[in-house]
Each structure stands twice: as structure tokens, then as C-alpha cells.
Amino acid sequence: MQVMELHSTSMEALHISPADDPRGSPGKEQQAAGVGILLQIMMLVLSFVLGHVLRRHRFYYLPEASASLLIGLLVGALANISDTETNIRTWFNFHEEFFFLLAPKPFFSNFGAIVTFAILGTFISSMVTGILVYLGGVMYLMYRLPLVECLMFGALISATDPVTVLSIFQELGTDTNLYALVFGESVLNDAMAISLYRTMSLVRSHAPSGENFFLVVVRFLETFVGSMSAGVGVGFTSALISFSINLQNLECCLVVLFPYFSYMLAEGLGLSGIVSILFTGIVMKRYTYSNLSENSQRFVSAFFHLISSLAETFVFIYMGFDIAMEQHSWSHVGFIFFSILFIIVARAVNVFSCAYLVNLVRPAHRKIPVKHQKALWYSGLRGAMAFALALQSVHDLPEGHGQTIFTATTAIVVLTVLLIGGSTGTMLEALQVVGDGHDIPMGENYEGNNGYVAPTFDDDSYNEESSSGNRFKMKLKEFHKSAASFTALDRNYLTPFFTSQNGDEDEDDELMPISRSSGFRG
């Protein structure tokens, strides 16, 4: 996968060979590889033990993901270890897929809002960031890059990964809907960020040919919609197959294999494997998981919980390690400083504008409160996906430009993970959202002061508000009614056809265990 490829200098730094002697014996090379794997396992063990100690003493200023990142930075600064390119790619794919297979029920109840933040919001954020970075260069505030390269930077830096924030959300017990919004937006927006980055990269490479705007849009849709279609198709196929299988071992094997089938299918078609695997996870969680026997559900939940925790920890360790090993360009500190300011502004435009649109079409009791909007804005940490795309930009862009973007992204990732992650507890207390939904069963729909789980599509509520709304608001309400139609389609046709449940039956409220990054307790 292109976005996860690491350039040659990194691989040379990571590779262990006996005294760097190409004539070293296979036995010594195998021994060196074993030492590298041993160090990786030691870092994982240290991360889990340190995370347990931090949780036990309720030390929220250093979340587990931040601790893993620091361990990687420390080890990377002290020693060279074996090549881990294959490992990072494998673990990262598990990390993305299992997030959706472990997704809790509030995720689907708030799916419309999540899609708004993840798709429209990420587009807004990337455009605002790219344009501001370009204008900053024009005004000589920072290192100047061409507009297309600025938009590439805006796309890659718009991918959020608030694992540290989510772990604190779990420990302190925040509202389940707020958690679902932060969780869902952070994973889904990876798909949008990848598609935007690839599109801008193609625009840059085809700029001399004068490719028009229409073809650019077609290329974006080809990447995003094509990958999404492949993922959804594989997900529904897995649901149909699991519907007719009652053997526990076979069920579990297929649930693990189908996501990678989706990934490889998309890559083989020249699409995005990560985008495909994300949507496969959505469909499999909604339909395939319901077809599994109780024993298979318990086993799959425990297995995914285990692998997701390992993947998450390893990704942050590797990021810290590779940040310490890579060559950076610190000559453009102004680019880093103003980039941080610009992404803060872009994040605010993203969250508050999308929340305004969502609240326009929601009844009063389901509107997203302002304090939740502020928490969502604050939760926009950058992580693994932004780092991976920045690594890819070193290949895609001229030498000085790619290195500048990579260095800025590295600084942003470290600062947001350590500073924002460490101050999350203080932020939650300041916004008074601590314990909002901690005592409410995670699988229940509820209505409270801030509750907005249950999807309500009462025609009377639309009629009451439509008289005071303008034409734009009416259009949004019509769109919301179409979402209600899709809900009815799912309940009356898709769920009965692809699962063993009846359309009138609700999802099983017994949620499966979630990794510490996913945060919901069963």
C-alpha cells in the first residue's frame, strides 16, 4: 500500500545485519532479526506494564498512547533494531479494521452525524489548512510551497487519531454519544484523507498535461467510491456466507479473513485498501456479526480486542521509533509554528460548521451540545495516518518540500499526542462533561439533557420546525428524511435478508468488549 511504504533511508537505518557485512552468514542474519523481534516484544511488554501502572494511579497527564510513543522515541534514539516495515503495515491494517468490528451501538445511532464530520468536515479542514498554508507562504510567514502541495499537506494533516483522548474518555466516563462521534469521525476520516491525498498527488503529477477540474473530481470519486463499493460488497458477501454457516471454527476464520480479502481486492484494482477495509468493517459489524453463534461472538470479540490492543500499542511505539530514526529538516521552524495555528483554525471551522448543519435537522433533545462540540474540536489529535502519509510525501514531492512536510507533521503528531492527550482530563473537567453517560448502560437508548442516541424521525417534529426555517433548512430536513427512509430500508429489508434477525428486533444490547482505545465496556 502506497501510503504505508517507508523510504529507503529509514529502512537502512532500521536494518540489522552483522557488522553491516553483506557477506554475513544466513545464521547471523537470522540471529540479528531475532534480536530485533525481541526488542519489539520488550517494548510492547513495557508499554502494557507502564500503561497499567498509569491507569492504576489515575495519572492522566501521560496517557498510554503517549507513553508508547515516548518509549519508541527513546529506543529509536538509543539503538537500531530490525526492519519493521512488514510489521507496521500488518498491525496498522488490523488496527483500522478491528476498530469498526468493535464499534459500539451509539456509533450506528449517530452514523449520520459521524459521516458529516468525517466526510464533509475532513474536506473542509483539508481545504482550509491547505489554503491558509499557501497564503502564509505568499505573505512570507513560512516556507512557501505550491498550492497543490499545500493541499496535499492539508489532506494528510486532516487525518485524526485521538486514541489518547478516547482512553481518557473511558477512564473518566464521558457521554456515550460524544465518544461515538470522536471515535467514528477519527476512523472514517482516514478514508477521506487518503482519497484527498491521492487525488491531489495525481493532480500534481498530471499538472503539465492541463487536466481539468472535472477529471480531478472523477479521479477522487474513482478512489473513494470505488474503494467503498469494494468494501461494502465484500462485507455483504461475508454476511450472506455467515448466514448459512453454523460451525464455530469456520465462522471465526471467515470473519478474520474477509477483511483482508477486501483489502487485497481493492489494492489489486488500484484502489485504496484501507478505505475498502474500513467499510467492510462497518458492514460486517452491522450484519455479519449478528449471524455468528454466541460462542463465536465471544471468541471473535476477545480475539479482536487482543489484536486491536497490540496493534494500537505497536503503531505508537513504531511512530516514536521512526521519528527518532528519520532525518528531519528543522530549518523551517516557522512552517511548523504556523501550520499548528492553521490546523487549529481549520479544525474549529470543521467541527462547528458541521455541528451547526447536524443540529439544523435534529429535534431539540438530540442536538449536539456546545460543550460536546468543544470537546470534539479539542480531540483532533494527529497520529498514525498523518504520519504515514507524510512519509509517503517524501517520495511524492521534491526533496526539500517533502522533508519539510514530514518534519512539520512529525512535530504536530508529537505535540498533539503529548500535550493535548495529557491535558484531556483537565479539558473534560473544564467543560463539565465528566461522567455525563458513565452510569447509563452503553446499549440503551436514552433521552437526557444531552442525550441524542435514539434516531427520531417523527413527521410532526419536522412540521413544527419547518414553518420557521428557511429554504436551506428545509433542504436539510428533506435530506434527513431520506436518511429515515434508509433506516426503514435497513430495518425492513437489509437486516432480515442478510442476518438471522427480524427487522423489528433491535440489535443485541450486549456490547462486545472494546480495546482500551475503543473505550466502550460491554
Side-chain angles (χ1 to χ4, degrees):
M1 179 182 57
Q2 289 183 347
V3 299
M4 298 305 297
E5 291 176 354
L6 305 179
H7 51 76
S8 58
T9 56
S10 173
M11 290 301 96
E12 291 172 0
L14 288 172
H15 184 66
I16 284 184
S17 60
D20 292 331
D21 183 3
R23 296 172 298 177
S25 65
K28 291 185 178 180
E29 291 180 357
Q30 184 177 5
Q31 181 181 8
V35 172
I37 295 174
L38 175 63
L39 289 177
Q40 295 172 38
I41 295 175
M42 289 174 60
M43 287 191 291
L44 283 171
V45 172
L46 179 60
S47 295
F48 283 116
V49 172
L50 181 59
H52 171 73
V53 173
L54 293 173
R55 285 199 311 274
R56 186 172 183 178
H57 291 84
R58 299 183 179 276
F59 188 77
Y60 300 129
Y61 296 102
L62 185 64
E64 296 171 69
S66 301
S68 300
L69 183 68
L70 289 176
I71 290 173
L73 281 169
L74 178 63
V75 174
L78 295 177
N80 293 329
I81 63 173
S82 62
D83 187 347
T84 55
E85 178 182 13
T86 301
N87 294 337
I88 183 66
R89 293 178 64 172
T90 301
W91 285 114
F92 187 82
N93 294 334
F94 270 117
H95 180 68
E96 294 287 345
E97 165 63 16
F98 293 167
F99 264 5
F100 269 125
L101 289 174
L102 296 174
K105 189 172 183 178
F107 171 88
F108 295 101
S109 300
N110 291 282
F111 189 69
I114 290 171
V115 170
T116 302
F117 284 111
I119 305 300
L120 177 61
T122 302
F123 178 79
I124 293 174
S125 181
S126 62
M127 292 297 109
V128 172
T129 302
I131 292 173
L132 289 178
V133 169
Y134 177 73
L135 293 177
V138 170
M139 293 186 292
Y140 300 101
L141 296 175
M142 55 198 298
Y143 184 67
R144 183 172 181 176
L145 295 174
L147 178 59
V148 175
E149 295 181 10
C150 291
L151 294 176
M152 291 175 65
F153 175 67
L156 71 88
I157 206 63
S158 296
T160 60
D161 188 11
V163 171
T164 53
V165 172
L166 294 177
S167 63
I168 303 300
F169 279 13
Q170 176 191 7
E171 294 295 328
L172 297 181
T174 58
D175 183 86
T176 56
N177 301 282
L178 173 60
Y179 190 103
L181 289 176
V182 175
F183 165 82
E185 185 238 356
S186 67
V187 184
L188 257 185
N189 83 339
D190 286 352
M192 188 67 177
I194 293 171
S195 300
L196 286 173
Y197 178 86
R198 286 190 171 186
T199 301
M200 295 304 168
S201 180
L202 288 172
V203 171
R204 179 186 174 276
S205 60
H206 291 81
S209 63
E211 190 172 84
N212 58 38
F213 178 77
F214 176 74
L215 292 179
V216 172
V217 174
V218 170
R219 289 182 180 275
F220 169 78
L221 293 177
E222 177 185 359
T223 301
F224 186 80
V225 178
S227 303
M228 179 183 68
S229 301
V232 170
V234 172
F236 278 123
T237 302
S238 70
L240 285 175
I241 293 178
S242 62
F243 183 81
S244 58
I245 294 178
N246 296 317
L247 298 176
Q248 179 177 346
N249 291 341
L250 184 56
E251 287 178 336
C252 298
C253 290
L254 291 179
V255 169
V256 174
L257 291 176
F258 265 107
Y260 269 100
F261 175 79
S262 171
Y263 175 84
M264 293 302 176
L265 175 63
E267 288 294 317
L269 295 175
L271 303 172
S272 172
I274 285 188
V275 175
S276 178
I277 205 174
L278 289 176
F279 285 96
T280 299
I282 295 176
V283 176
M284 290 183 67
K285 167 58 180 167
R286 182 69 175 177
Y287 302 105
T288 307
Y289 183 78
S290 301
N291 293 332
L292 303 180
S293 63
E294 291 185 7
N295 290 335
S296 296
Q297 288 182 350
R298 285 194 294 268
F299 174 81
V300 168
S301 299
F303 176 76
F304 286 170
H305 185 178
L306 170 65
I307 300 300
S308 180
S309 297
L310 289 172
E312 168 202 318
T313 304
F314 184 84
V315 164
F316 276 90
I317 290 175
Y318 180 82
M319 276 201 305
F321 172 82
D322 202 59
I323 287 172
M325 297 298 298
E326 289 292 334
Q327 295 180 353
H328 298 281
S329 175
W330 299 106
S331 58
H332 304 292
V333 180
F335 187 90
I336 299 173
F337 175 76
F338 284 104
S339 294
I340 294 175
L341 294 181
F342 293 155
I343 65 173
I344 292 174
V345 173
R347 179 70 180 172
V349 175
N350 165 8
V351 171
F352 295 112
S353 62
C354 289
Y356 174 77
L357 295 177
V358 170
N359 285 341
L360 279 180
V361 298
R362 284 191 166 189
H365 69 279
R366 297 193 64 233
K367 293 184 184 297
I368 303 175
V370 174
K371 62 182 182 180
H372 286 188
Q373 297 177 33
K374 293 178 180 179
L376 187 62
W377 166 73
Y378 194 84
S379 303
L381 285 75
R382 271 56 178 181
M385 182 56 67
F387 180 75
L389 289 171
L391 275 176
Q392 182 62 33
S393 71
V394 177
H395 285 301
D396 295 339
L397 301 178
E399 183 176 353
H401 297 183
Q403 205 68 35
T404 299
I405 287 178
F406 175 67
T407 302
T409 304
T410 297
I412 291 169
V413 168
V414 174
L415 289 176
T416 56
V417 169
L418 296 181
L419 297 183
I420 296 180
S423 60
T424 298
T426 305
M427 178 270 294
L428 294 177
E429 293 176 354
L431 294 177
Q432 298 180 346
V433 295
V434 175
D436 271 3
H438 188 64
D439 297 328
I440 299 174
M442 295 296 184
E444 290 185 7
N445 293 337
Y446 70 98
E447 294 181 11
N449 294 332
N450 297 326
Y452 45 94
V453 170
T456 318
F457 302 111
D458 188 358
D459 290 338
D460 293 336
S461 65
Y462 291 111
N463 294 331
E464 291 172 1
E465 297 183 9
S466 61
S467 58
S468 60
N470 53 26
R471 180 174 298 181
F472 177 69
K473 189 173 181 180
M474 290 297 298
K475 291 292 184 182
L476 287 176
K477 289 186 178 297
E478 290 176 5
F479 178 78
H480 199 195
K481 285 186 178 181
S482 68
S485 300
F486 177 79
T487 302
L489 173 67
D490 174 61
R491 181 179 63 250
N492 297 328
Y493 298 100
L494 296 181
T495 298
F497 184 77
F498 288 103
T499 72
S500 56
Q501 298 178 348
N502 293 324
D504 296 333
E505 294 180 358
D506 292 332
E507 248 184 4
D508 185 7
D509 287 339
E510 184 82 20
L511 296 180
M512 57 177 122
I514 306 299
S515 72
R516 55 190 173 88
S517 65
S518 302
F520 282 87
R521 296 168 182 168

PDB file of all heavy atoms in Angstrom, residues 7 10 31 103 129 244 260 276 299 319 336 344 365 367 391 416 420 428 452 465 504-505 516 522:
ATOM      1  N   HIS A   7      10.506   5.033   3.215  1.00  0.00           N
ATOM      2  CA  HIS A   7      11.546   5.251   2.223  1.00  0.00           C
ATOM      3  C   HIS A   7      12.848   4.583   2.610  1.00  0.00           C
ATOM      4  O   HIS A   7      13.061   4.173   3.739  1.00  0.00           O
ATOM      5  CB  HIS A   7      11.741   6.748   1.961  1.00  0.00           C
ATOM      6  CG  HIS A   7      11.932   7.577   3.203  1.00  0.00           C
ATOM      7  ND1 HIS A   7      13.093   7.616   3.917  1.00  0.00           N
ATOM      8  CD2 HIS A   7      11.058   8.386   3.843  1.00  0.00           C
ATOM      9  CE1 HIS A   7      12.967   8.432   4.930  1.00  0.00           C
ATOM     10  NE2 HIS A   7      11.731   8.912   4.920  1.00  0.00           N
ATOM     11  N   SER A  10      15.049   5.206   5.819  1.00  0.00           N
ATOM     12  CA  SER A  10      14.502   4.654   7.043  1.00  0.00           C
ATOM     13  C   SER A  10      14.806   3.175   7.151  1.00  0.00           C
ATOM     14  O   SER A  10      15.164   2.673   8.202  1.00  0.00           O
ATOM     15  CB  SER A  10      12.992   4.888   7.089  1.00  0.00           C
ATOM     16  OG  SER A  10      12.427   4.211   8.187  1.00  0.00           O
ATOM     17  N   GLN A  31      19.953 -14.415  13.415  1.00  0.00           N
ATOM     18  CA  GLN A  31      20.139 -14.052  14.813  1.00  0.00           C
ATOM     19  C   GLN A  31      19.868 -12.565  15.025  1.00  0.00           C
ATOM     20  O   GLN A  31      19.225 -12.163  15.999  1.00  0.00           O
ATOM     21  CB  GLN A  31      21.568 -14.380  15.248  1.00  0.00           C
ATOM     22  CG  GLN A  31      21.850 -14.063  16.716  1.00  0.00           C
ATOM     23  CD  GLN A  31      23.282 -14.377  17.095  1.00  0.00           C
ATOM     24  OE1 GLN A  31      24.111 -14.693  16.239  1.00  0.00           O
ATOM     25  NE2 GLN A  31      23.590 -14.290  18.383  1.00  0.00           N
ATOM     26  N   ALA A 103     -16.962  -1.583  17.061  1.00  0.00           N
ATOM     27  CA  ALA A 103     -17.733  -0.354  17.211  1.00  0.00           C
ATOM     28  C   ALA A 103     -18.999  -0.596  18.024  1.00  0.00           C
ATOM     29  O   ALA A 103     -19.712  -1.562  17.789  1.00  0.00           O
ATOM     30  CB  ALA A 103     -18.102   0.205  15.838  1.00  0.00           C
ATOM     31  N   THR A 129      -6.917  24.255   5.683  1.00  0.00           N
ATOM     32  CA  THR A 129      -5.498  24.154   6.046  1.00  0.00           C
ATOM     33  C   THR A 129      -4.598  24.411   4.844  1.00  0.00           C
ATOM     34  O   THR A 129      -3.628  25.188   4.930  1.00  0.00           O
ATOM     35  CB  THR A 129      -5.194  22.760   6.619  1.00  0.00           C
ATOM     36  OG1 THR A 129      -6.021  22.512   7.764  1.00  0.00           O
ATOM     37  CG2 THR A 129      -3.735  22.647   7.030  1.00  0.00           C
ATOM     38  N   SER A 244     -25.403 -18.843   6.457  1.00  0.00           N
ATOM     39  CA  SER A 244     -25.676 -20.269   6.215  1.00  0.00           C
ATOM     40  C   SER A 244     -24.654 -21.191   6.867  1.00  0.00           C
ATOM     41  O   SER A 244     -24.651 -22.391   6.596  1.00  0.00           O
ATOM     42  CB  SER A 244     -25.685 -20.531   4.702  1.00  0.00           C
ATOM     43  OG  SER A 244     -24.455 -20.153   4.114  1.00  0.00           O
ATOM     44  N   TYR A 260      -9.252  -8.913   5.087  1.00  0.00           N
ATOM     45  CA  TYR A 260      -8.032  -8.882   4.283  1.00  0.00           C
ATOM     46  C   TYR A 260      -8.318  -9.203   2.825  1.00  0.00           C
ATOM     47  O   TYR A 260      -7.602  -8.731   1.930  1.00  0.00           O
ATOM     48  CB  TYR A 260      -6.981  -9.845   4.865  1.00  0.00           C
ATOM     49  CG  TYR A 260      -6.107  -9.128   5.851  1.00  0.00           C
ATOM     50  CD1 TYR A 260      -6.326  -9.253   7.210  1.00  0.00           C
ATOM     51  CD2 TYR A 260      -5.096  -8.285   5.420  1.00  0.00           C
ATOM     52  CE1 TYR A 260      -5.551  -8.569   8.127  1.00  0.00           C
ATOM     53  CE2 TYR A 260      -4.312  -7.601   6.321  1.00  0.00           C
ATOM     54  CZ  TYR A 260      -4.539  -7.740   7.672  1.00  0.00           C
ATOM     55  OH  TYR A 260      -3.782  -7.056   8.575  1.00  0.00           O
ATOM     56  N   SER A 276     -11.274   0.549   1.679  1.00  0.00           N
ATOM     57  CA  SER A 276     -12.106  -0.633   1.477  1.00  0.00           C
ATOM     58  C   SER A 276     -12.307  -1.410   2.777  1.00  0.00           C
ATOM     59  O   SER A 276     -13.425  -1.819   3.109  1.00  0.00           O
ATOM     60  CB  SER A 276     -11.467  -1.542   0.414  1.00  0.00           C
ATOM     61  OG  SER A 276     -12.223  -2.713   0.223  1.00  0.00           O
ATOM     62  N   PHE A 299     -15.752 -15.377  21.149  1.00  0.00           N
ATOM     63  CA  PHE A 299     -14.373 -15.630  20.735  1.00  0.00           C
ATOM     64  C   PHE A 299     -13.858 -14.512  19.835  1.00  0.00           C
ATOM     65  O   PHE A 299     -12.748 -14.001  20.020  1.00  0.00           O
ATOM     66  CB  PHE A 299     -14.285 -16.969  20.002  1.00  0.00           C
ATOM     67  CG  PHE A 299     -12.922 -17.244  19.424  1.00  0.00           C
ATOM     68  CD1 PHE A 299     -11.906 -17.738  20.220  1.00  0.00           C
ATOM     69  CD2 PHE A 299     -12.653 -16.983  18.084  1.00  0.00           C
ATOM     70  CE1 PHE A 299     -10.638 -17.976  19.693  1.00  0.00           C
ATOM     71  CE2 PHE A 299     -11.393 -17.215  17.548  1.00  0.00           C
ATOM     72  CZ  PHE A 299     -10.388 -17.720  18.356  1.00  0.00           C
ATOM     73  N   MET A 319       5.841   4.601  15.620  1.00  0.00           N
ATOM     74  CA  MET A 319       5.897   6.009  15.246  1.00  0.00           C
ATOM     75  C   MET A 319       7.004   6.722  16.019  1.00  0.00           C
ATOM     76  O   MET A 319       7.789   7.478  15.446  1.00  0.00           O
ATOM     77  CB  MET A 319       4.557   6.691  15.514  1.00  0.00           C
ATOM     78  CG  MET A 319       3.546   6.534  14.417  1.00  0.00           C
ATOM     79  SD  MET A 319       2.263   7.808  14.491  1.00  0.00           S
ATOM     80  CE  MET A 319       1.668   7.599  16.159  1.00  0.00           C
ATOM     81  N   ILE A 336       6.409  25.042  10.819  1.00  0.00           N
ATOM     82  CA  ILE A 336       5.803  24.203  11.857  1.00  0.00           C
ATOM     83  C   ILE A 336       4.867  25.033  12.727  1.00  0.00           C
ATOM     84  O   ILE A 336       3.728  24.638  13.003  1.00  0.00           O
ATOM     85  CB  ILE A 336       6.894  23.536  12.705  1.00  0.00           C
ATOM     86  CG1 ILE A 336       7.786  22.637  11.833  1.00  0.00           C
ATOM     87  CG2 ILE A 336       6.287  22.743  13.857  1.00  0.00           C
ATOM     88  CD1 ILE A 336       8.975  22.073  12.559  1.00  0.00           C
ATOM     89  N   ILE A 344      -5.428  24.313  13.871  1.00  0.00           N
ATOM     90  CA  ILE A 344      -6.365  24.620  14.959  1.00  0.00           C
ATOM     91  C   ILE A 344      -7.563  25.384  14.413  1.00  0.00           C
ATOM     92  O   ILE A 344      -8.721  25.085  14.740  1.00  0.00           O
ATOM     93  CB  ILE A 344      -5.655  25.431  16.059  1.00  0.00           C
ATOM     94  CG1 ILE A 344      -4.610  24.559  16.775  1.00  0.00           C
ATOM     95  CG2 ILE A 344      -6.666  25.980  17.067  1.00  0.00           C
ATOM     96  CD1 ILE A 344      -3.769  25.321  17.786  1.00  0.00           C
ATOM     97  N   HIS A 365     -34.078  17.698  21.513  1.00  0.00           N
ATOM     98  CA  HIS A 365     -33.472  16.803  22.500  1.00  0.00           C
ATOM     99  C   HIS A 365     -32.307  16.003  21.929  1.00  0.00           C
ATOM    100  O   HIS A 365     -31.606  15.320  22.672  1.00  0.00           O
ATOM    101  CB  HIS A 365     -34.531  15.841  23.068  1.00  0.00           C
ATOM    102  CG  HIS A 365     -35.030  14.833  22.071  1.00  0.00           C
ATOM    103  ND1 HIS A 365     -35.995  15.139  21.138  1.00  0.00           N
ATOM    104  CD2 HIS A 365     -34.687  13.526  21.873  1.00  0.00           C
ATOM    105  CE1 HIS A 365     -36.240  14.061  20.402  1.00  0.00           C
ATOM    106  NE2 HIS A 365     -35.469  13.076  20.826  1.00  0.00           N
ATOM    107  N   LYS A 367     -29.957  17.513  19.693  1.00  0.00           N
ATOM    108  CA  LYS A 367     -28.930  18.419  19.206  1.00  0.00           C
ATOM    109  C   LYS A 367     -27.610  18.178  19.952  1.00  0.00           C
ATOM    110  O   LYS A 367     -27.600  17.809  21.123  1.00  0.00           O
ATOM    111  CB  LYS A 367     -29.367  19.874  19.371  1.00  0.00           C
ATOM    112  CG  LYS A 367     -30.554  20.260  18.488  1.00  0.00           C
ATOM    113  CD  LYS A 367     -30.876  21.730  18.612  1.00  0.00           C
ATOM    114  CE  LYS A 367     -32.119  22.089  17.800  1.00  0.00           C
ATOM    115  NZ  LYS A 367     -31.930  21.854  16.350  1.00  0.00           N
ATOM    116  N   LEU A 391       5.211  10.406   5.444  1.00  0.00           N
ATOM    117  CA  LEU A 391       6.331   9.595   4.945  1.00  0.00           C
ATOM    118  C   LEU A 391       6.232   9.401   3.437  1.00  0.00           C
ATOM    119  O   LEU A 391       7.218   9.469   2.710  1.00  0.00           O
ATOM    120  CB  LEU A 391       6.354   8.232   5.647  1.00  0.00           C
ATOM    121  CG  LEU A 391       7.062   8.150   6.995  1.00  0.00           C
ATOM    122  CD1 LEU A 391       6.904   6.761   7.584  1.00  0.00           C
ATOM    123  CD2 LEU A 391       8.537   8.483   6.857  1.00  0.00           C
ATOM    124  N   THR A 416       0.653  17.110  19.644  1.00  0.00           N
ATOM    125  CA  THR A 416      -0.762  16.863  19.924  1.00  0.00           C
ATOM    126  C   THR A 416      -0.960  15.636  20.808  1.00  0.00           C
ATOM    127  O   THR A 416      -1.796  15.653  21.717  1.00  0.00           O
ATOM    128  CB  THR A 416      -1.559  16.700  18.623  1.00  0.00           C
ATOM    129  OG1 THR A 416      -0.975  15.653  17.823  1.00  0.00           O
ATOM    130  CG2 THR A 416      -1.568  17.986  17.822  1.00  0.00           C
ATOM    131  N   ILE A 420      -2.013  17.624  24.058  1.00  0.00           N
ATOM    132  CA  ILE A 420      -3.471  17.527  24.090  1.00  0.00           C
ATOM    133  C   ILE A 420      -3.901  16.260  24.819  1.00  0.00           C
ATOM    134  O   ILE A 420      -4.845  16.278  25.619  1.00  0.00           O
ATOM    135  CB  ILE A 420      -4.044  17.566  22.669  1.00  0.00           C
ATOM    136  CG1 ILE A 420      -3.728  18.920  22.017  1.00  0.00           C
ATOM    137  CG2 ILE A 420      -5.549  17.339  22.689  1.00  0.00           C
ATOM    138  CD1 ILE A 420      -4.264  19.060  20.609  1.00  0.00           C
ATOM    139  N   LEU A 428     -11.924  17.961  30.012  1.00  0.00           N
ATOM    140  CA  LEU A 428     -13.228  17.372  30.298  1.00  0.00           C
ATOM    141  C   LEU A 428     -13.829  17.962  31.570  1.00  0.00           C
ATOM    142  O   LEU A 428     -15.037  18.219  31.645  1.00  0.00           O
ATOM    143  CB  LEU A 428     -13.102  15.857  30.431  1.00  0.00           C
ATOM    144  CG  LEU A 428     -12.719  15.089  29.157  1.00  0.00           C
ATOM    145  CD1 LEU A 428     -12.550  13.609  29.461  1.00  0.00           C
ATOM    146  CD2 LEU A 428     -13.768  15.283  28.070  1.00  0.00           C
ATOM    147  N   TYR A 452     -28.646  12.064  22.857  1.00  0.00           N
ATOM    148  CA  TYR A 452     -29.097  12.141  21.470  1.00  0.00           C
ATOM    149  C   TYR A 452     -28.774  10.861  20.745  1.00  0.00           C
ATOM    150  O   TYR A 452     -28.277  10.847  19.644  1.00  0.00           O
ATOM    151  CB  TYR A 452     -28.485  13.347  20.739  1.00  0.00           C
ATOM    152  CG  TYR A 452     -27.021  13.560  20.945  1.00  0.00           C
ATOM    153  CD1 TYR A 452     -26.068  13.053  20.068  1.00  0.00           C
ATOM    154  CD2 TYR A 452     -26.580  14.295  22.034  1.00  0.00           C
ATOM    155  CE1 TYR A 452     -24.727  13.267  20.264  1.00  0.00           C
ATOM    156  CE2 TYR A 452     -25.235  14.516  22.238  1.00  0.00           C
ATOM    157  CZ  TYR A 452     -24.310  14.006  21.349  1.00  0.00           C
ATOM    158  OH  TYR A 452     -22.977  14.222  21.546  1.00  0.00           O
ATOM    159  N   GLU A 465     -41.032  22.576  13.039  1.00  0.00           N
ATOM    160  CA  GLU A 465     -39.875  23.439  12.853  1.00  0.00           C
ATOM    161  C   GLU A 465     -39.794  24.016  11.450  1.00  0.00           C
ATOM    162  O   GLU A 465     -39.129  25.014  11.220  1.00  0.00           O
ATOM    163  CB  GLU A 465     -38.584  22.655  13.150  1.00  0.00           C
ATOM    164  CG  GLU A 465     -38.507  22.186  14.591  1.00  0.00           C
ATOM    165  CD  GLU A 465     -37.190  21.471  14.865  1.00  0.00           C
ATOM    166  OE1 GLU A 465     -36.320  21.510  13.990  1.00  0.00           O
ATOM    167  OE2 GLU A 465     -37.054  20.882  15.937  1.00  0.00           O
ATOM    168  N   ASP A 504     -37.871  -6.104  13.065  1.00  0.00           N
ATOM    169  CA  ASP A 504     -38.416  -5.379  14.204  1.00  0.00           C
ATOM    170  C   ASP A 504     -37.566  -5.533  15.449  1.00  0.00           C
ATOM    171  O   ASP A 504     -37.777  -4.850  16.440  1.00  0.00           O
ATOM    172  CB  ASP A 504     -39.839  -5.853  14.518  1.00  0.00           C
ATOM    173  CG  ASP A 504     -40.796  -5.546  13.379  1.00  0.00           C
ATOM    174  OD1 ASP A 504     -40.524  -4.571  12.653  1.00  0.00           O
ATOM    175  OD2 ASP A 504     -41.803  -6.285  13.223  1.00  0.00           O
ATOM    176  N   GLU A 505     -36.617  -6.453  15.391  1.00  0.00           N
ATOM    177  CA  GLU A 505     -35.789  -6.689  16.566  1.00  0.00           C
ATOM    178  C   GLU A 505     -34.637  -5.704  16.585  1.00  0.00           C
ATOM    179  O   GLU A 505     -34.045  -5.379  15.573  1.00  0.00           O
ATOM    180  CB  GLU A 505     -35.231  -8.124  16.555  1.00  0.00           C
ATOM    181  CG  GLU A 505     -36.309  -9.173  16.712  1.00  0.00           C
ATOM    182  CD  GLU A 505     -35.712 -10.571  16.691  1.00  0.00           C
ATOM    183  OE1 GLU A 505     -34.497 -10.666  16.521  1.00  0.00           O
ATOM    184  OE2 GLU A 505     -36.448 -11.538  16.839  1.00  0.00           O
ATOM    185  N   ARG A 516      -8.826  -0.736  24.842  1.00  0.00           N
ATOM    186  CA  ARG A 516      -8.722   0.468  25.636  1.00  0.00           C
ATOM    187  C   ARG A 516      -8.808   1.709  24.779  1.00  0.00           C
ATOM    188  O   ARG A 516      -9.141   2.783  25.247  1.00  0.00           O
ATOM    189  CB  ARG A 516      -7.413   0.475  26.422  1.00  0.00           C
ATOM    190  CG  ARG A 516      -6.183   0.308  25.556  1.00  0.00           C
ATOM    191  CD  ARG A 516      -4.955   0.082  26.441  1.00  0.00           C
ATOM    192  NE  ARG A 516      -3.796  -0.242  25.641  1.00  0.00           N
ATOM    193  CZ  ARG A 516      -2.974   0.624  25.135  1.00  0.00           C
ATOM    194  NH1 ARG A 516      -3.203   1.898  25.299  1.00  0.00           N
ATOM    195  NH2 ARG A 516      -1.920   0.251  24.443  1.00  0.00           N
ATOM    196  N   GLY A 522     -18.411  -3.603  27.631  1.00  0.00           N
ATOM    197  CA  GLY A 522     -19.571  -4.406  27.309  1.00  0.00           C
ATOM    198  C   GLY A 522     -20.512  -4.506  28.488  1.00  0.00           C
ATOM    199  O   GLY A 522     -20.104  -4.371  29.616  1.00  0.00           O
TER     200      GLY A 522
END
